[in-house]
Amino acid sequence: MPTAFVLSGGGNLGAVQVGMLQALADRGVVPDLLVGTSVGAINAAFLAAGPSPARIEQLAEIWRDTRRSDVFPTSSPRAAMRAVTGRSNAFVDPRPLRRLVERSVPYDRIETARWPLAIVATEVTTGAEVVLRHGDVVDAVMASAAIPSIFPPVALDGHVLMDGGVVNNTAISVAGDLGADVIYVLPTGYACALPHPPGSALAMALHAVSLAIQRRLVADVAVWQHRCTLRVVPPLCPVSVSPTDFGHTEELMQRARTATRRWLDRPIPEDQTGYLGVHEH
């Protein structure tokens, strides 16, 4: 039975997926297909070169070395003014993130990856889901990660694309449509309510997206857990790291690895939506 790993978006919480991947590798769980959205597309594209334990450790090193300036460089007042006045469609320069992706992914085109890879993006003009399985891998990843108003959209193969999380952040349906019978879902979103509101405009925007996609995840799991063998790795709980804070990477990876190992030792509940809803402590 084909096994898919579905890696969701979630900004800096993409580090959580590394710990989950380490725990799955510890138990010999290997995917036949990788599906990624936003930061999950970055992780999936890297792993598609060969999702071995050694490759996962290399991904962990990349995350340890990543700083906020590599992903969300501070906008200059001039750049911010251009965005506010309508002369630009994004606040953040995408070039640092593009350089990070180019350094990390060792192949040029999606179809030449050693493992089958699907990257999810959103068509800007229609809101349609676009599943990318061919073409330039860096362009595809940048399109999938183009958070609206934060990063500019990407023109690719006749489409103008933005963050796949807008329409399908945790693309279980894509894995199912591509023939996966066993689907491991690696979410990054918050299952816990924040102790206080985000303190910056960027953090507020990312948190708003996170809340919306968490609701979609619960709805999708409710449907797909009856259509295939679905295994939803529980999100970390509690997590109070700001979505722009890259200073807790090691902690997030270690906690996720330990929590996922424990989850693998327990029976899978009949209804896996119970631990996915946003809740307070």
Side-chain angles (χ1 to χ4, degrees):
M1 294 188 295
T3 296
F5 283 4
V6 174
L7 288 80
S8 73
N12 63 327
L13 293 184
V16 169
Q17 291 174 340
V18 179
M20 295 173 174
L21 289 163
Q22 289 170 326
L24 292 168
D26 292 341
R27 301 299 176 85
V29 182
V30 179
D32 301 296
L33 167 68
L34 291 155
V35 179
T37 303
S38 201
V39 73
I42 298 174
N43 287 338
F46 182 86
L47 289 178
S52 65
R55 189 79 182 156
I56 295 170
E57 290 306 317
Q58 291 172 1
L59 181 60
E61 284 300 317
I62 291 172
W63 272 97
R64 291 185 185 104
D65 292 340
T66 298
R67 301 292 179 264
R68 173 177 168 158
S69 59
D70 296 319
V71 182
F72 301 118
T74 302
S75 294
S76 67
R78 183 177 180 181
M81 183 58 67
R82 284 176 56 83
V84 169
T85 58
R87 289 177 292 163
S88 172
N89 57 10
F91 284 93
V92 175
D93 183 351
R95 289 176 294 182
L97 178 58
R98 187 178 186 91
R99 288 193 292 268
L100 175 63
V101 175
E102 289 172 340
R103 292 195 306 266
S104 302
V105 179
Y107 53 93
D108 296 327
R109 298 184 62 81
I110 298 172
E111 64 269 26
T112 62
R114 290 183 60 191
W115 252 248
L117 171 65
I119 293 174
V120 180
T122 302
E123 169 62 59
V124 170
T125 56
T126 65
E129 175 183 287
V130 178
V131 180
L132 301 167
R133 302 205 63 202
H134 300 85
D136 186 281
V137 66
V138 175
D139 285 345
V141 167
M142 292 300 296
S144 183
I147 303 167
S149 80
I150 305 300
F151 294 120
V154 176
L156 183 63
D157 296 336
H159 299 282
V160 179
L161 302 175
M162 63 182 174
D163 196 327
V166 173
V167 290
N168 201 354
N169 189 67
T170 310
I172 301 170
S173 58
V174 172
D177 291 344
L178 291 175
D181 297 313
V182 179
I183 302 175
Y184 283 84
V185 178
L186 282 64
T188 61
Y190 292 94
C192 308
L194 298 182
H196 49 76
S200 70
L202 176 57
M204 180 65 80
L206 294 175
H207 179 61
V209 172
S210 178
L211 290 176
I213 63 183
Q214 195 73 8
R215 288 181 178 271
R216 168 69 188 267
L217 172 61
V218 172
D220 283 355
V221 170
V223 171
W224 282 91
Q225 65 186 353
H226 303 298
R227 295 184 181 180
C228 65
T229 302
L230 190 66
R231 298 289 182 261
V232 185
V233 183
L236 282 187
C237 178
V239 173
S240 58
V241 178
S242 162
T244 60
D245 182 357
F246 286 78
H248 298 272
T249 293
E250 187 65 38
E251 172 195 347
L252 292 172
M253 290 192 298
Q254 292 297 333
R255 285 183 59 199
R257 188 173 193 171
T258 299
T260 304
R261 283 173 170 171
R262 291 173 180 165
W263 169 76
L264 286 166
D265 289 333
R266 298 195 299 267
I268 302 298
E270 182 176 346
D271 183 3
Q272 296 177 77
T273 63
Y275 52 77
L276 294 174
V278 177
H279 58 274
E280 295 182 330
H281 288 271

